[in-house]
Amino acid sequence: MRFLILPALLLPAPAAATELFGGAHLQGVATPFSLQADREGGLAWSAGIRGKGIAGTPIRPYAFASVSARGDTSFVAAGLSARFGTDRIYVRPGVGLAVHNGSASNFSEDDRLALGSRILFEPELAVGTRLNDRLSVEASWVHLSHGQIFGTQNPGIDNIGLRLNLRL
């Protein structure tokens, strides 16, 4: 339960929310950014919220939770993202911090995925298209790692999938 308290405190206030999103991602996908993709896999479900732009900029706070369907690493994340592009097609980079329930150890032979720290960086990138005035869909990549701050072992984990966004 403590796992969910921190993200709840980081969520934008409902009055400041401008978008809800949810989706499904393949978890533990092999990319050049992850080293142990074979240790986890399957589907992860996510849901989150984005706030209004900060001080008239395209930079928006976000928070979301990702839950592994097969009981592997789940996490909650909060950070900042921005949307760039046309009204119809866009790219959305973001960066945040995540707290996960997987292994925080540095290395263990029997460990499912030794991420090296309980708190990880969470860069992400999405490419999307607006479907109508309120709905958009995004192909997104979410990466978790500690960037070798907590040791030289930094396996990371990558999730790739789709998100549906609902503008409020």
Side-chain angles (χ1 to χ4, degrees):
M1 187 53 74
R2 292 179 298 184
F3 177 67
L4 298 175
I5 293 172
L6 176 63
L9 297 174
L10 298 175
L11 285 173
T18 62
E19 197 168 59
L20 300 176
F21 61 90
H25 287 76
L26 294 175
Q27 186 165 330
V29 176
T31 72
F33 301 105
S34 58
L35 302 176
Q36 293 182 348
D38 62 335
R39 295 250 176 138
E40 292 200 1
L43 196 60
W45 300 101
S46 64
I49 187 169
R50 287 189 191 94
K52 293 181 179 181
I54 298 172
T57 70
I59 299 170
R60 299 169 61 184
Y62 67 86
F64 75 100
S66 176
V67 178
S68 169
R70 66 179 221 184
D72 286 334
T73 301
S74 296
F75 63 93
V76 292
L80 299 172
S81 68
R83 181 176 154 165
F84 302 101
T86 68
D87 182 47
R88 199 86 170 141
I89 297 174
Y90 61 90
V91 63
R92 184 191 314 267
V95 65
L97 293 175
V99 179
H100 67 91
N101 69 347
S103 172
S105 69
N106 282 325
F107 184 76
S108 174
E109 286 297 325
D110 60 350
D111 211 350
R112 62 180 183 200
L113 179 65
L115 290 168
S117 174
R118 181 67 52 214
I119 299 173
L120 302 170
F121 295 111
E122 182 267 330
E124 61 178 70
L125 182 64
V127 176
T129 186
R130 182 175 57 84
L131 301 175
N132 61 37
D133 288 341
R134 295 189 65 199
L135 290 176
S136 62
V137 64
E138 298 176 342
S140 67
W141 163 74
V142 176
H143 177 73
L144 298 178
S145 77
H146 63 68
Q148 295 186 336
I149 290 176
F150 301 109
T152 56
Q153 182 192 6
N154 183 33
I157 187 169
D158 289 295
N159 294 354
I160 295 176
L162 294 174
R163 289 180 178 158
L164 185 64
N165 306 301
L166 172 65
R167 192 172 68 185
L168 302 178

